[in-house]
Each structure stands twice: as C-alpha cells, then as structure tokens.
Amino acid sequence: MSTILECNDLTKKFGSKTAVSAVNLKIERGQIVGLLGPNGSGKSTIIKLANELLTPTSGNILIGGKKPGTETKKIVSYLPEKTYLNDWMRVHQIIELFSDFYDDFKPEKAYDMLKTLNINPDDRLKTMSKGTKEKVQLILVMSREAELYLLDEPIGGVDPAARDYILQTILRNYNENATVIISTHLISDIENILDYVVFINQGQVVLTSSVDNIRDEKGKSVDALFREVFKC
Amino acid sequence: MPWELKSDRPIYTQLIEQIELMIFSGVYPLGSKLPSVRDMAQEAAVNPNTMQKALVKLEEDGLIITHRTSGRSITEDARMVEMAKTKLAQEQISEFLEKMQLMGFEQKEILTIIDNMVKGMKK
C-alpha cells in the first residue's frame, strides 16, 4: 500500500488562533477513513488545506507526494461543507459543467443515481430542499473516478433513509485503490463502513486506529470511545 | 436474511458468524456461488475490506473456496460444514452451561430442565 495523503508537522494559524497544530498523519490508499472530532477541532481546516483553499502556516500536506495544486485536483474529488454551485443552474447543466471540468467525471453514473433518488435533472438547485441539494452535490462528487475523495460532513443535513443511501453510494462508487476520507461527528451512522479512524481534538491528532482494533481492544464501538475521549 | 451488526464487537467476526449461519441454514447451499465481495459488502452495509477479511478467514477454515477466475463458492465438502456446525454448537452450549453454573444449577438439574423443555416442545 502506498500513501495517498501525508501531513508533516502541518500547522495552520488564523491570527493568534491555532486551528491545526503540528499534525503528522499518513493515510494509505484503498481505505475508508473517518476524520472524527468535535465541532471546531480542525477537521474542515485539514480538508481545506488538502484542497489548497488554505495554505499551511508551517509544515506541509502532500497528496500522492505532491503539494496541493492543479495536479492534485485532478485526482481529488472534494465535497465541501458549503455548496459552491450556482443555484440558478439546472442539475443537467451542472453535470455538463463537471464533464467539461474533470476528465474522470462519468455523467452516466450521475444520471443513474439521480434517477434512484427521484431527482429530476431539469430541476434548478434553487427549487430544492437543503437535503436534496446535498444529495446532488454528493452525486456529483461520487461520479468522478478519483483517487482520493474528501467528504466534509456528507451526511449532516439529510434524513436517516437518505443517509443509508449515501453510505451505499460511497461504498458502491469507490474502487479498491481509491481512498475516501469522511469528516463527521455522526459516528454511529458511519462506523460500520470505516476501515480506519483519526480522532482530532483542538487541532491535534489524539488517536489513530482501525475500527476493528478499537472494538477488539476496548470492547466498545468507535462512537462509545469518541464519547469517552471527548467527554465534556 | 438481514445483517445484524452489534457495535461493541469487531465487525469482521460478526460477519463470519452470520455467513456461517447462512451456510448452515442453507441460504447458501453446498457448492453454490457466493456474490461478489462488493455486493456482499453493500448488502451488509460494511466496508468491502472488512467483508474481504471475513471471507479470507472462512476460506482458511475451509468453508469457502476461492476459484482463481470465477469468484468464491461454498465448499462441497459436507463434512467440513458439519464440523464447523458442531464447533459452533459446542461454543454456544458451553457459554450456556457457564451461565447456568453462575446461577447455581448442578449439571443434573440442567439436564432435567432441558429434558422437560424438549418434551414440552414436542407436544
């Protein structure tokens, strides 16, 4: 297995506030990884650093050995926490946009998933509920055949049934060599599909382990361990 | 059969147990072909790597055979399945016996209770 994402003493400060503090992390290919931490722990900041939306204050982050930039964006499919799509656009227009933009985008995959979720490709984003918009976004992101998927809170705004479908979508669409990193605090919903978890608190990595290891050694679920580690 | 996974034990061991049960109960008959790892993982809503791990263990135990080109199938060796079945029964019974001992029952009393219940079930 080779490393797809690597952080070396990665630090990000906003003024006097340190959001990410000297993080060292290696994520191997072919896994589904949970980036777990309470609100404000630095999850989104790390994901934004991986997408060059932010630049490190010190240290570095590497994707397949390269610094984030045009080359890495070809292999990274990113689901941001907030939508960046124009809401006057119709879904099929956005699909055309994505096809133009990304070589690895598979429109037939997207249309297929839209159909399953009863979303009309002629609808405008503006007319959709928050949950439906989120589904459209995730469909777009998962319709790429990327090497790394970075999903920032993919299940936050959708109902439990759609949540199951989204998890299935993730499972169905990622191939064995791809890596999926999911940031969330809804742990019990996703822990069955994770290989590996990274716990983050106050900008620092506090624990990395495989899910089965946690269950084996501690005899409890990742969710239960999280509640223990981050007890308020 | 729906997959039921508890959250406090490793997922792959639970997958192993459930697949074993499906073999014993004939959901997957001897010699039948198994769905792909990906399909099975999706059905159980688990990570394909975890399903893979479970299948590899079942292969080591001889319940599942991997063909190089055509996926996996259940063993045709009925003895193999019988042995695994007996082993599972022994595990369950010894767990039960331990509990009964904790409750303070003697072996003879346990046997009498079982005997009476079996007779009751027949009627």
Side-chain angles (χ1 to χ4, degrees):
Chain A
M1 272 202 290
S2 63
T3 308
I4 181 74
L5 184 138
E6 189 178 348
C7 301
N8 300 304
D9 283 323
L10 182 69
T11 302
K12 178 68 189 176
K13 291 182 184 166
F14 297 110
S16 62
K17 194 180 178 318
T18 307
V20 175
S21 171
V23 163
N24 286 296
L25 190 64
K26 264 194 176 141
I27 308 266
E28 306 292 332
R29 284 175 199 266
Q31 303 192 86
I32 303 182
V33 179
L35 193 58
L36 314 175
N39 304 110
S41 53
K43 303 185 294 280
S44 292
T45 307
I46 291 179
I47 289 182
K48 283 178 186 161
L49 286 162
N51 282 297
E52 211 200 0
L53 295 172
L54 296 170
T55 49
T57 308
S58 62
N60 64 20
I61 183 163
L62 301 174
I63 312 249
K66 292 185 191 126
K67 285 201 172 155
T70 318
E71 284 307 307
T72 65
K73 286 175 191 178
K74 287 181 187 166
I75 59 164
V76 175
S77 192
Y78 169 47
L79 180 80
E81 54 181 344
K82 280 192 211 114
T83 178
Y84 56 92
L85 299 166
N86 289 316
D87 66 0
W88 54 264
M89 284 178 98
R90 297 179 195 277
V91 177
H92 74 86
Q93 291 174 312
I94 305 173
I95 290 178
E96 283 151 27
L97 180 75
F98 266 65
S99 302
D100 285 343
F101 225 86
Y102 299 110
D103 286 338
D104 60 359
F105 186 79
K106 305 281 173 234
E108 56 295 348
K109 254 188 174 177
Y111 283 115
D112 207 41
M113 284 189 262
L114 287 170
K115 208 172 150 193
T116 320
L117 283 177
N118 282 321
I119 299 172
N120 184 347
D122 293 325
D123 282 354
R124 292 179 198 275
L125 276 190
K126 198 163 41 179
T127 65
M128 293 176 176
S129 71
K130 183 168 178 264
T132 309
K133 265 186 226 165
E134 285 195 22
K135 287 178 206 167
V136 171
Q137 288 243 45
L138 187 83
I139 287 173
L140 292 167
V141 168
M142 293 313 294
S143 296
R144 285 185 59 195
E145 289 183 348
E147 290 177 37
L148 176 64
Y149 298 89
L150 292 173
L151 312 178
D152 200 353
E153 294 283 355
I155 54 174
V158 299
D159 62 80
R163 222 168 261 182
D164 285 348
Y165 179 80
I166 285 173
L167 295 181
Q168 267 181 30
T169 307
I170 294 171
L171 282 178
R172 195 176 323 123
N173 289 293
Y174 105 105
N175 70 56
E176 283 84 49
N177 302 317
T179 308
V180 184
I181 299 180
I182 306 175
S183 101
T184 188
H185 49 251
L186 296 168
I187 300 168
S188 60
D189 281 325
I190 65 157
E191 72 171 277
N192 278 357
I193 74 160
L194 299 177
D195 288 296
Y196 205 77
V197 292
V198 177
F199 277 17
I200 298 186
N201 197 19
Q202 295 175 358
Q204 289 177 316
V205 173
V206 292
L207 180 139
T208 58
S209 169
S210 81
V211 171
D212 275 340
N213 248 341
I214 289 178
R215 294 185 178 205
D216 239 347
E217 282 167 15
K218 322 238 175 194
K220 61 181 73 157
S221 66
V222 176
D223 187 65
L225 182 67
F226 184 92
R227 285 167 202 262
E228 196 179 288
V229 171
F230 296 114
K231 197 159 188 263
C232 298
Chain B
M1 193 170 110
W3 298 76
E4 264 176 47
L5 299 171
K6 297 211 171 71
S7 62
D8 54 350
R9 293 173 48 222
I11 298 160
Y12 78 97
T13 52
Q14 299 185 61
L15 293 176
I16 292 171
E17 289 165 5
Q18 299 208 14
I19 296 169
E20 277 181 346
L21 274 180
M22 285 192 256
I23 297 172
F24 299 158
S25 64
V27 176
Y28 295 133
L30 290 185
S32 66
K33 220 173 154 303
L34 274 178
S36 72
V37 177
R38 183 161 281 254
D39 287 347
M40 289 181 76
Q42 221 180 91
E43 205 190 286
V46 299
N47 188 302
N49 293 331
T50 313
M51 185 57 82
Q52 175 82 9
K53 197 168 158 189
L55 293 176
V56 167
K57 179 70 178 48
L58 286 164
E59 209 179 300
E60 280 168 13
D61 295 347
L63 285 177
I64 286 177
I65 297 165
T66 301
H67 310 285
R68 221 184 319 159
T69 48
S70 58
R72 292 187 166 84
S73 63
I74 310 295
T75 177
E76 287 177 18
D77 190 347
R79 232 188 37 217
M80 215 66 199
V81 175
E82 213 47 54
M83 265 164 58
K85 212 166 151 178
T86 311
K87 194 172 150 243
L88 183 67
Q90 282 167 344
E91 282 167 13
Q92 299 265 323
I93 293 170
S94 66
E95 200 179 303
F96 160 78
L97 288 175
E98 267 169 39
K99 269 189 205 154
M100 295 302 278
Q101 261 168 4
L102 273 176
M103 286 184 234
F105 284 101
E106 299 284 339
Q107 279 185 4
K108 230 177 168 179
E109 292 172 294
I110 301 171
L111 286 174
T112 315
I113 297 173
I114 294 176
D115 205 40
N116 286 335
M117 283 185 71
V118 171
K119 277 175 195 151
M121 274 161 75
K122 273 180 191 152
K123 281 171 201 163

